[in-house]
């Protein structure tokens, strides 16, 4: 089923339109596997698979929080549970 923009309400913003507005911006993503990712969104497709750069991955382990820095990643969209445009990650909370 295709989504259509509601012309009666010009303030309506579809999910992919919001993601498109975030290209070039920092994103805070929470994942299904209790990981959080913060990076700059370079691009995405219709399945919300994302390419991010300047990435920091936060993983909670029994030993504590593990932080991993990565230059660039391809993230599978089905693993994302929440996107926070402009979010700085769990350390900003």
């Amino acid at each position: 089923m295709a989504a259509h923009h509601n012309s009666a309400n010009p303030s309506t913003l579809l999910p992919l339109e919001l993601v498109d507005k975030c290209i070039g911006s920092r994103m805070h993503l929470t994942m299904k596997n209790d990981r959080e990712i913060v990076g700059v969104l370079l691009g995405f497709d219709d399945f919300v698979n994302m390419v991010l750069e300047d990435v920091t991955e936060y993983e909670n382990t029994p030993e504590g929080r593990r932080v991993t820095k990565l230059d660039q990643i391809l993230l599978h969209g089905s693993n994302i549970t929440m996107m926070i445009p402009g979010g700085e990650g769990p350390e900003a909370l």
Side-chain angles (χ1 to χ4, degrees):
M1 174 185 258
H4 297 285
H5 192 69
N6 184 353
S7 59
N9 183 357
S11 65
T12 300
L13 185 65
L14 297 174
L16 289 179
E17 291 176 322
L18 176 60
V19 177
D20 188 56
K21 289 177 179 278
C22 295
I23 290 178
S25 300
R26 292 196 72 72
M27 296 282 289
H28 175 192
L29 308 166
T30 58
M31 311 301 292
K32 287 182 180 178
N33 59 4
D34 293 327
R35 292 182 185 190
E36 296 181 56
I37 294 177
V38 177
V40 176
L41 179 63
L42 295 182
F44 69 98
D45 64 13
D46 287 344
F47 301 101
V48 194
N49 298 315
M50 296 182 165
V51 177
L52 297 145
E53 70 177 358
D54 188 23
V55 175
T56 305
E57 178 185 48
Y58 302 90
E59 181 181 10
N60 292 320
T61 67
E63 297 80 32
R65 179 178 282 163
R66 180 170 55 198
V67 178
T68 305
K69 300 278 188 177
L70 302 162
D71 290 332
Q72 194 173 79
I73 63 169
L74 170 61
L75 188 62
H76 195 274
S78 67
N79 292 318
I80 300 168
T81 59
M82 184 171 58
M83 294 185 279
I84 305 166
E88 290 297 320
E91 297 191 347
L93 300 176

Coordinates of all heavy atoms in Angstrom, one line a residue:
M1 N 0.9 -1.2 0.0 CA 0.0 0.0 0.0 C 0.9 1.2 0.0 O 1.8 1.4 0.8 CB -0.9 0.0 1.2 CG -1.7 1.2 1.4 SD -2.7 1.2 2.9 CE -4.2 0.8 2.2
A2 N 0.7 2.1 -0.9 CA 1.5 3.3 -1.0 C 0.9 4.4 -0.1 O -0.3 4.5 0.1 CB 1.5 3.8 -2.5
A3 N 1.9 5.1 0.5 CA 1.5 6.2 1.4 C 1.3 7.5 0.5 O 2.1 7.7 -0.4 CB 2.5 6.5 2.4
H4 N 0.3 8.2 0.7 CA 0.1 9.5 0.0 C 0.1 10.7 0.9 O -0.4 10.6 2.1 CB -1.3 9.4 -0.7 CG -1.4 8.3 -1.7 ND1 -0.8 8.4 -2.9 CD2 -2.0 7.1 -1.7 CE1 -1.1 7.3 -3.6 NE2 -1.8 6.5 -2.9
H5 N 0.7 11.7 0.4 CA 0.8 13.0 1.2 C -0.6 13.6 1.3 O -1.3 13.7 0.3 CB 1.8 13.9 0.6 CG 2.2 15.1 1.4 ND1 2.9 14.9 2.6 CD2 1.9 16.4 1.3 CE1 3.1 16.1 3.1 NE2 2.4 17.0 2.4
N6 N -1.0 14.0 2.5 CA -2.3 14.5 2.7 C -2.3 16.0 2.4 O -1.7 16.8 3.1 CB -2.7 14.3 4.2 CG -4.1 14.8 4.5 OD1 -4.7 15.4 3.7 ND2 -4.5 14.6 5.7
S7 N -2.9 16.4 1.2 CA -2.8 17.8 0.8 C -3.7 18.6 1.6 O -3.6 19.9 1.6 CB -3.2 17.8 -0.7 OG -4.5 17.3 -0.9
A8 N -4.7 18.0 2.3 CA -5.6 18.9 3.2 C -4.8 19.4 4.4 O -5.2 20.4 5.0 CB -6.8 18.0 3.6
N9 N -3.8 18.7 4.8 CA -3.0 19.1 6.0 C -1.5 19.2 5.5 O -0.8 18.2 5.6 CB -3.1 18.1 7.1 CG -2.4 18.5 8.4 OD1 -1.7 19.6 8.4 ND2 -2.5 17.8 9.4
P10 N -1.0 20.4 5.1 CA 0.3 20.5 4.6 C 1.4 20.3 5.7 O 2.5 20.1 5.3 CB 0.4 22.0 4.1 CG -0.8 22.7 4.8 CD -1.8 21.6 5.1
S11 N 1.0 20.2 7.0 CA 2.0 20.0 8.0 C 2.3 18.5 8.2 O 3.1 18.1 9.0 CB 1.6 20.6 9.3 OG 0.4 19.9 9.8
T12 N 1.6 17.6 7.5 CA 1.8 16.2 7.6 C 3.1 15.8 7.0 O 3.5 16.3 5.9 CB 0.7 15.4 6.8 OG1 -0.6 15.7 7.3 CG2 0.9 13.9 6.8
L13 N 3.9 15.0 7.8 CA 5.2 14.6 7.3 C 5.3 13.1 7.4 O 5.1 12.5 8.5 CB 6.3 15.2 8.2 CG 7.7 15.0 7.9 CD1 8.0 15.7 6.5 CD2 8.6 15.6 8.9
L14 N 5.6 12.5 6.3 CA 5.7 11.0 6.2 C 7.0 10.6 6.8 O 8.0 11.3 6.8 CB 5.5 10.5 4.8 CG 4.2 10.8 4.1 CD1 4.2 10.4 2.7 CD2 3.1 10.1 4.9
P15 N 7.1 9.3 7.3 CA 8.3 8.9 8.0 C 9.6 9.0 7.1 O 10.6 9.5 7.5 CB 8.0 7.4 8.3 CG 6.6 7.4 8.5 CD 6.0 8.4 7.5
L16 N 9.5 8.6 5.8 CA 10.7 8.6 4.9 C 11.0 10.1 4.6 O 12.2 10.4 4.4 CB 10.4 7.8 3.7 CG 10.4 6.3 3.9 CD1 10.2 5.6 2.5 CD2 11.7 5.8 4.5
E17 N 10.0 11.0 4.6 CA 10.3 12.4 4.4 C 11.1 13.0 5.6 O 12.1 13.7 5.4 CB 9.0 13.2 4.3 CG 8.3 12.9 3.0 CD 7.0 13.7 2.9 OE1 6.3 13.8 3.9 OE2 6.6 14.1 1.8
L18 N 10.8 12.5 6.8 CA 11.6 13.0 8.0 C 13.0 12.4 7.9 O 13.9 13.2 8.1 CB 10.9 12.5 9.3 CG 11.7 12.8 10.5 CD1 11.9 14.3 10.7 CD2 11.0 12.2 11.7
V19 N 13.2 11.2 7.6 CA 14.5 10.6 7.4 C 15.3 11.3 6.4 O 16.5 11.7 6.5 CB 14.5 9.1 7.2 CG1 15.9 8.5 7.0 CG2 13.8 8.4 8.3
D20 N 14.7 11.7 5.2 CA 15.3 12.4 4.2 C 15.8 13.8 4.6 O 16.9 14.2 4.3 CB 14.4 12.5 3.0 CG 15.1 13.1 1.8 OD1 16.1 12.5 1.3 OD2 14.6 14.2 1.3
K21 N 15.0 14.4 5.5 CA 15.5 15.7 6.0 C 16.7 15.6 6.9 O 17.3 16.6 7.2 CB 14.3 16.4 6.8 CG 13.2 16.9 5.9 CD 12.1 17.5 6.7 CE 10.9 18.0 5.9 NZ 11.2 19.3 5.4
C22 N 17.0 14.4 7.4 CA 18.1 14.2 8.3 C 19.4 13.9 7.7 O 20.4 13.7 8.4 CB 17.7 13.1 9.3 SG 16.3 13.5 10.4
I23 N 19.4 13.7 6.3 CA 20.7 13.4 5.6 C 21.7 14.5 5.9 O 21.3 15.7 5.9 CB 20.4 13.3 4.1 CG1 19.7 11.9 3.9 CG2 21.8 13.2 3.4 CD1 19.3 11.7 2.5
G24 N 22.9 14.1 6.3 CA 23.9 15.1 6.7 C 23.9 15.5 8.2 O 24.8 16.2 8.6
S25 N 22.9 15.0 8.9 CA 22.8 15.3 10.3 C 23.1 14.1 11.2 O 23.0 13.0 10.8 CB 21.3 15.8 10.7 OG 21.0 16.9 9.9
R26 N 23.4 14.4 12.5 CA 23.6 13.3 13.5 C 22.3 12.6 13.8 O 21.2 13.3 13.9 CB 24.3 13.8 14.7 CG 25.7 14.3 14.5 CD 26.5 14.5 15.7 NE 26.9 13.2 16.3 CZ 27.8 12.4 15.8 NH1 28.4 12.6 14.7 NH2 28.1 11.3 16.5
M27 N 22.3 11.3 14.0 CA 21.2 10.5 14.3 C 21.6 9.6 15.5 O 22.7 9.1 15.6 CB 20.7 9.6 13.2 CG 20.3 10.3 11.9 SD 18.6 10.9 12.1 CE 17.7 9.4 12.0
H28 N 20.6 9.5 16.5 CA 20.8 8.5 17.6 C 19.8 7.4 17.3 O 18.6 7.7 17.2 CB 20.5 9.2 18.9 CG 20.5 8.3 20.1 ND1 20.1 8.7 21.3 CD2 21.0 7.1 20.3 CE1 20.2 7.7 22.2 NE2 20.7 6.7 21.5
L29 N 20.3 6.2 17.1 CA 19.5 5.1 16.8 C 19.5 4.0 17.9 O 20.6 3.7 18.4 CB 19.9 4.4 15.5 CG 20.1 5.4 14.3 CD1 20.9 4.7 13.2 CD2 18.8 5.8 13.8
T30 N 18.4 3.5 18.3 CA 18.3 2.4 19.3 C 18.0 1.2 18.4 O 17.2 1.2 17.5 CB 17.3 2.6 20.4 OG1 16.0 2.8 19.9 CG2 17.7 3.8 21.3
M31 N 18.7 0.1 18.8 CA 18.6 -1.2 18.0 C 17.9 -2.3 18.8 O 17.8 -2.2 20.0 CB 20.0 -1.6 17.7 CG 20.9 -0.5 17.1 SD 20.2 0.2 15.6 CE 20.4 -1.2 14.5
K32 N 17.4 -3.3 18.1 CA 16.7 -4.4 18.8 C 17.7 -5.2 19.7 O 17.2 -5.8 20.7 CB 16.3 -5.4 17.7 CG 15.1 -5.0 16.9 CD 14.6 -6.0 15.9 CE 13.4 -5.6 15.1 NZ 13.1 -6.6 14.1
N33 N 18.9 -5.2 19.5 CA 19.9 -6.0 20.3 C 20.5 -5.2 21.4 O 21.6 -5.5 21.8 CB 21.0 -6.5 19.4 CG 21.8 -5.4 18.6 OD1 21.5 -4.2 18.9 ND2 22.7 -5.8 17.8
D34 N 19.8 -4.2 22.0 CA 20.3 -3.4 23.1 C 21.5 -2.6 22.8 O 22.3 -2.3 23.7 CB 20.5 -4.3 24.4 CG 19.2 -4.9 24.9 OD1 18.2 -4.2 24.8 OD2 19.2 -6.0 25.4
R35 N 21.7 -2.3 21.6 CA 22.8 -1.4 21.2 C 22.2 -0.1 20.8 O 21.1 0.0 20.3 CB 23.6 -2.0 20.0 CG 24.4 -3.2 20.4 CD 25.2 -3.8 19.3 NE 25.8 -5.0 19.7 CZ 26.7 -5.6 19.0 NH1 27.1 -5.2 17.8 NH2 27.2 -6.8 19.4
E36 N 23.1 1.0 20.9 CA 22.7 2.3 20.4 C 23.8 2.8 19.5 O 25.0 2.5 19.8 CB 22.5 3.2 21.6 CG 21.3 2.8 22.5 CD 21.1 3.7 23.7 OE1 20.9 4.9 23.4 OE2 21.1 3.3 24.8
I37 N 23.4 3.5 18.5 CA 24.3 3.9 17.5 C 24.1 5.4 17.2 O 23.0 5.9 17.1 CB 24.2 3.1 16.2 CG1 24.6 1.7 16.4 CG2 25.0 3.8 15.0 CD1 24.5 0.8 15.2
V38 N 25.2 6.2 17.2 CA 25.1 7.6 16.9 C 26.1 7.8 15.7 O 27.2 7.4 15.7 CB 25.6 8.5 18.1 CG1 25.5 9.9 17.7 CG2 24.6 8.2 19.3
G39 N 25.6 8.5 14.7 CA 26.4 8.8 13.5 C 25.7 9.8 12.6 O 24.6 10.2 12.8
V40 N 26.5 10.2 11.6 CA 25.9 11.2 10.6 C 25.3 10.4 9.5 O 26.0 9.5 8.9 CB 27.1 12.1 10.1 CG1 26.6 13.0 9.0 CG2 27.7 12.9 11.2
L41 N 24.1 10.6 9.2 CA 23.3 9.9 8.1 C 23.8 10.4 6.7 O 23.7 11.6 6.4 CB 21.8 10.2 8.3 CG 20.9 9.5 7.2 CD1 21.1 8.0 7.3 CD2 19.5 9.9 7.4
L42 N 24.3 9.4 5.9 CA 24.8 9.8 4.6 C 23.7 9.4 3.6 O 23.6 10.1 2.5 CB 26.0 9.0 4.2 CG 27.3 9.3 5.0 CD1 28.4 8.5 4.5 CD2 27.6 10.8 4.9
G43 N 22.9 8.4 3.8 CA 21.8 8.0 2.9 C 21.0 6.8 3.4 O 21.4 6.2 4.4
F44 N 19.9 6.5 2.7 CA 19.0 5.4 3.2 C 18.2 5.0 1.9 O 18.2 5.7 0.9 CB 18.1 5.9 4.3 CG 17.1 6.9 3.9 CD1 15.8 6.5 3.6 CD2 17.4 8.2 3.8 CE1 14.8 7.4 3.2 CE2 16.5 9.1 3.4 CZ 15.2 8.7 3.1
D45 N 17.6 3.8 2.1 CA 16.7 3.4 1.0 C 15.3 3.2 1.5 O 15.0 3.6 2.6 CB 17.2 2.1 0.4 CG 17.3 0.9 1.3 OD1 16.7 1.0 2.4 OD2 17.9 -0.1 1.0
D46 N 14.4 2.7 0.7 CA 13.0 2.5 1.1 C 12.8 1.6 2.2 O 11.7 1.6 2.9 CB 12.1 2.0 -0.1 CG 12.0 3.1 -1.2 OD1 12.2 4.3 -0.9 OD2 11.6 2.8 -2.3
F47 N 13.8 0.7 2.5 CA 13.7 -0.2 3.7 C 14.3 0.4 4.9 O 14.4 -0.3 5.9 CB 14.3 -1.5 3.3 CG 13.7 -2.2 2.1 CD1 14.3 -2.1 0.9 CD2 12.5 -2.8 2.3 CE1 13.7 -2.7 -0.2 CE2 11.9 -3.4 1.1 CZ 12.5 -3.4 -0.1
V48 N 14.7 1.7 4.8 CA 15.4 2.4 5.9 C 16.8 1.7 6.3 O 17.2 1.8 7.4 CB 14.5 2.7 7.1 CG1 15.1 3.7 8.0 CG2 13.1 3.1 6.7
N49 N 17.4 1.0 5.3 CA 18.8 0.6 5.5 C 19.5 1.9 5.4 O 19.2 2.8 4.6 CB 19.2 -0.3 4.4 CG 18.4 -1.6 4.4 OD1 18.2 -2.3 5.4 ND2 18.0 -2.1 3.2
M50 N 20.5 2.1 6.3 CA 21.2 3.4 6.4 C 22.7 3.3 6.2 O 23.3 2.3 6.7 CB 20.9 4.0 7.7 CG 19.5 4.4 8.0 SD 19.3 5.2 9.6 CE 17.7 5.9 9.4
V51 N 23.3 4.3 5.6 CA 24.7 4.4 5.6 C 25.0 5.6 6.5 O 24.5 6.7 6.4 CB 25.3 4.7 4.2 CG1 26.8 4.9 4.2 CG2 24.9 3.5 3.3
L52 N 25.9 5.3 7.6 CA 26.3 6.4 8.5 C 27.8 6.5 8.6 O 28.5 5.5 8.4 CB 25.7 6.0 9.9 CG 24.2 5.9 10.1 CD1 23.9 4.8 11.0 CD2 23.7 7.2 10.6
E53 N 28.3 7.7 8.9 CA 29.7 7.9 9.1 C 29.9 8.5 10.4 O 29.0 9.0 11.1 CB 30.3 8.7 7.9 CG 29.9 10.2 8.0 CD 30.6 11.0 6.9 OE1 31.4 10.5 6.1 OE2 30.3 12.2 6.8
D54 N 31.2 8.5 10.8 CA 31.6 9.1 12.1 C 30.7 8.5 13.2 O 30.0 9.1 13.9 CB 31.5 10.6 12.1 CG 32.1 11.2 13.4 OD1 32.9 10.6 14.0 OD2 31.7 12.4 13.7
V55 N 30.8 7.1 13.3 CA 29.8 6.3 14.1 C 30.4 6.0 15.5 O 31.6 5.6 15.6 CB 29.4 5.0 13.3 CG1 28.5 4.1 14.2 CG2 28.8 5.4 12.0
T56 N 29.6 6.0 16.5 CA 29.9 5.5 17.8 C 28.8 4.5 18.2 O 27.6 4.8 18.1 CB 29.9 6.6 18.9 OG1 30.9 7.6 18.5 CG2 30.4 6.1 20.2
E57 N 29.2 3.3 18.5 CA 28.3 2.2 18.9 C 28.4 2.0 20.4 O 29.5 1.9 20.9 CB 28.6 1.0 18.2 CG 27.7 -0.2 18.6 CD 28.2 -1.5 17.9 OE1 29.4 -1.8 17.9 OE2 27.3 -2.2 17.4
Y58 N 27.3 2.0 21.1 CA 27.3 1.8 22.5 C 26.6 0.4 22.8 O 25.5 0.2 22.3 CB 26.5 2.9 23.2 CG 27.0 4.3 23.0 CD1 26.6 5.0 21.9 CD2 27.9 4.8 23.9 CE1 27.1 6.3 21.7 CE2 28.5 6.1 23.7 CZ 28.0 6.8 22.6 OH 28.5 8.1 22.4
E59 N 27.2 -0.5 23.5 CA 26.7 -1.8 23.8 C 26.8 -2.0 25.3 O 27.8 -1.9 25.9 CB 27.4 -2.8 23.1 CG 26.9 -4.2 23.3 CD 27.7 -5.3 22.6 OE1 28.7 -5.0 22.0 OE2 27.2 -6.5 22.6
N60 N 25.7 -2.4 25.9 CA 25.6 -2.7 27.3 C 26.0 -4.2 27.5 O 25.3 -5.0 26.9 CB 24.3 -2.4 28.0 CG 24.0 -0.9 28.0 OD1 24.9 -0.1 28.3 ND2 22.8 -0.5 27.7
T61 N 27.0 -4.5 28.2 CA 27.5 -5.8 28.5 C 27.5 -6.1 30.0 O 27.4 -5.1 30.8 CB 28.9 -6.1 27.9 OG1 29.8 -5.3 28.7 CG2 29.0 -5.7 26.4
P62 N 27.6 -7.3 30.4 CA 27.7 -7.6 31.9 C 28.9 -6.9 32.5 O 28.9 -6.6 33.7 CB 27.9 -9.1 31.9 CG 27.3 -9.6 30.7 CD 27.5 -8.6 29.6
E63 N 29.9 -6.6 31.7 CA 31.1 -5.9 32.3 C 31.0 -4.4 32.3 O 31.8 -3.7 32.8 CB 32.4 -6.3 31.4 CG 32.8 -7.7 31.5 CD 31.9 -8.6 30.5 OE1 31.5 -8.1 29.5 OE2 31.6 -9.7 30.9
G64 N 29.9 -3.9 31.7 CA 29.6 -2.4 31.6 C 29.4 -2.0 30.2 O 29.3 -2.9 29.3
R65 N 29.4 -0.7 29.9 CA 29.1 -0.2 28.6 C 30.4 -0.3 27.7 O 31.5 0.2 28.1 CB 28.6 1.2 28.6 CG 28.4 1.8 27.2 CD 27.9 3.2 27.3 NE 26.4 3.1 27.6 CZ 25.7 4.1 28.1 NH1 26.3 5.3 28.3 NH2 24.4 4.0 28.3
R66 N 30.3 -0.9 26.6 CA 31.4 -0.9 25.6 C 31.1 0.1 24.5 O 30.0 0.1 24.0 CB 31.5 -2.3 25.0 CG 32.7 -2.4 24.0 CD 33.0 -3.8 23.6 NE 31.8 -4.5 23.1 CZ 31.7 -5.8 23.0 NH1 32.7 -6.6 23.4 NH2 30.6 -6.3 22.4
V67 N 32.1 0.9 24.2 CA 32.0 2.0 23.2 C 32.9 1.6 22.0 O 34.1 1.4 22.3 CB 32.3 3.4 23.8 CG1 32.2 4.4 22.7 CG2 31.3 3.7 24.9
T68 N 32.4 1.6 20.8 CA 33.2 1.3 19.6 C 33.1 2.5 18.6 O 31.9 2.9 18.4 CB 32.7 0.0 19.0 OG1 32.7 -1.0 20.0 CG2 33.6 -0.4 17.8
K69 N 34.2 2.9 18.1 CA 34.2 4.0 17.1 C 34.4 3.3 15.7 O 35.3 2.5 15.6 CB 35.3 5.0 17.4 CG 35.2 5.7 18.7 CD 34.3 6.8 18.7 CE 34.4 7.6 20.0 NZ 33.5 8.8 19.9
L70 N 33.6 3.8 14.8 CA 33.7 3.2 13.4 C 33.6 4.4 12.4 O 32.9 5.4 12.6 CB 32.5 2.3 13.1 CG 32.4 1.1 14.1 CD1 31.0 0.5 14.0 CD2 33.5 0.1 13.8
D71 N 34.4 4.3 11.3 CA 34.4 5.3 10.3 C 33.1 5.4 9.5 O 32.5 6.4 9.3 CB 35.5 5.1 9.3 CG 36.9 5.4 9.9 OD1 37.0 6.2 10.9 OD2 37.8 4.8 9.4
Q72 N 32.6 4.2 9.1 CA 31.4 4.1 8.3 C 30.7 2.8 8.4 O 31.4 1.8 8.5 CB 31.7 4.4 6.8 CG 30.5 4.7 5.9 CD 31.0 5.1 4.5 OE1 31.3 4.3 3.7 NE2 30.9 6.4 4.3
I73 N 29.4 2.7 8.4 CA 28.7 1.5 8.5 C 27.4 1.5 7.6 O 26.9 2.5 7.3 CB 28.2 1.1 10.0 CG1 27.2 2.2 10.5 CG2 29.4 1.0 10.9 CD1 26.5 1.8 11.8
L74 N 27.0 0.3 7.2 CA 25.7 0.1 6.6 C 24.9 -0.7 7.6 O 25.2 -1.7 8.1 CB 25.9 -0.8 5.3 CG 24.6 -1.3 4.7 CD1 23.8 -0.1 4.2 CD2 25.0 -2.2 3.5
L75 N 23.8 0.0 7.9 CA 22.9 -0.5 9.0 C 21.6 -1.1 8.4 O 21.0 -0.4 7.6 CB 22.6 0.6 10.0 CG 21.9 0.4 11.2 CD1 22.7 -0.6 12.1 CD2 21.6 1.7 12.0
H76 N 21.3 -2.3 8.7 CA 20.0 -2.9 8.2 C 18.8 -2.3 8.9 O 18.7 -2.4 10.2 CB 20.1 -4.4 8.4 CG 19.1 -5.2 7.7 ND1 17.8 -5.4 8.1 CD2 19.2 -5.8 6.4 CE1 17.2 -6.1 7.2 NE2 18.0 -6.3 6.2
G77 N 17.9 -1.8 8.2 CA 16.8 -1.0 8.7 C 15.9 -1.8 9.7 O 15.3 -1.3 10.6
S78 N 15.8 -3.2 9.5 CA 14.9 -4.0 10.3 C 15.3 -4.1 11.7 O 14.6 -4.5 12.6 CB 14.6 -5.3 9.7 OG 15.8 -6.1 9.7
N79 N 16.6 -3.7 12.0 CA 17.1 -3.8 13.4 C 16.9 -2.5 14.2 O 17.2 -2.5 15.4 CB 18.6 -4.1 13.3 CG 18.8 -5.5 12.8 OD1 18.2 -6.5 13.2 ND2 19.8 -5.7 12.0
I80 N 16.4 -1.5 13.6 CA 16.2 -0.2 14.2 C 14.9 -0.2 15.0 O 13.9 -0.5 14.4 CB 16.3 1.0 13.2 CG1 17.7 1.0 12.5 CG2 16.0 2.3 13.9 CD1 17.7 1.9 11.3
T81 N 14.9 0.2 16.2 CA 13.6 0.3 17.0 C 13.2 1.8 17.2 O 12.0 2.1 17.3 CB 13.7 -0.3 18.3 OG1 14.7 0.2 19.1 CG2 13.9 -1.8 18.2
M82 N 14.2 2.7 17.2 CA 13.8 4.1 17.3 C 14.9 5.0 16.7 O 16.1 4.7 16.8 CB 13.7 4.5 18.8 CG 13.3 5.9 19.1 SD 12.8 6.3 20.8 CE 14.3 5.9 21.7
M83 N 14.5 6.1 16.1 CA 15.5 7.1 15.5 C 15.2 8.4 16.2 O 14.1 8.9 16.2 CB 15.3 7.2 14.0 CG 15.6 6.0 13.3 SD 15.5 6.2 11.5 CE 13.8 6.0 11.2
I84 N 16.3 9.1 16.6 CA 16.2 10.4 17.2 C 17.0 11.4 16.4 O 18.3 11.4 16.5 CB 16.7 10.4 18.7 CG1 15.9 9.3 19.5 CG2 16.5 11.7 19.3 CD1 16.6 9.0 20.8
P85 N 16.4 12.1 15.5 CA 17.2 13.1 14.7 C 17.9 14.1 15.6 O 17.3 14.6 16.5 CB 16.1 13.8 13.8 CG 15.0 12.8 13.8 CD 15.0 12.1 15.1
G86 N 19.1 14.3 15.3 CA 19.9 15.3 16.1 C 20.4 14.8 17.5 O 21.0 15.5 18.2
G87 N 20.0 13.5 17.8 CA 20.4 13.0 19.1 C 21.9 12.7 19.2 O 22.5 12.4 18.3
E88 N 22.4 13.0 20.4 CA 23.8 12.8 20.7 C 24.2 11.5 21.4 O 25.3 11.2 21.6 CB 24.3 14.0 21.6 CG 24.3 15.3 20.8 CD 25.2 15.3 19.6 OE1 26.3 14.8 19.7 OE2 24.8 15.9 18.6
G89 N 23.2 10.7 21.6 CA 23.5 9.3 22.2 C 23.2 9.2 23.7 O 22.9 10.2 24.3
P90 N 23.5 8.0 24.2 CA 23.1 7.8 25.6 C 24.0 8.6 26.6 O 23.5 8.8 27.7 CB 23.4 6.3 25.8 CG 24.3 5.9 24.7 CD 24.0 6.9 23.5
E91 N 25.2 9.0 26.2 CA 26.0 9.8 27.2 C 25.5 11.2 27.4 O 25.9 11.9 28.3 CB 27.5 9.7 26.7 CG 28.0 8.3 26.7 CD 29.5 8.1 26.5 OE1 30.1 9.1 26.1 OE2 30.0 7.0 26.8
A92 N 24.6 11.6 26.5 CA 24.1 13.0 26.6 C 22.9 13.0 27.6 O 22.5 14.1 28.0 CB 23.7 13.5 25.2
L93 N 22.4 11.9 27.9 CA 21.2 11.8 28.8 C 21.6 12.0 30.2 O 22.6 11.7 30.7 CB 20.5 10.4 28.6 CG 20.0 10.2 27.2 CD1 19.4 8.7 27.2 CD2 19.0 11.2 26.8

